Amino acid sequence: APHGAGLALLLAARPGTAVVELVPATRASLALRTCFAKVSRVAGLRHHLWLEHPDLVTGAWAADLPA
């Protein structure tokens, strides 16, 4: 899931559920964007952050996930 309010449903997930969160990798905001990983840890979920580099001019980013 992309980082956002939809991940609030982590609280209803079964312990052990794998979660992959898509996050733009910027130093300024990375510390703020780890809040869902902390929620996952408390709920007993296996949380993984997938970091993507944003465009330095526009700030836009997209996830390039392997098949």
Side-chain angles (χ1 to χ4, degrees):
H3 178 85
L7 287 172
L9 296 173
L10 291 173
L11 294 173
R14 292 182 189 154
T17 298
V19 178
V20 178
E21 180 181 1
L22 310 175
V23 180
T26 60
R27 284 187 193 191
S29 65
L30 196 54
L32 296 173
R33 295 184 187 271
T34 59
C35 57
F36 290 117
K38 293 174 185 173
V39 170
S40 286
R41 180 179 292 167
V42 169
L45 309 178
R46 298 177 310 156
H47 198 104
H48 307 277
L49 293 174
W50 183 277
L51 304 177
E52 287 289 340
H53 294 286
D55 182 288
L56 296 177
V57 175
T58 66
W61 63 280
D64 186 18
L65 303 172

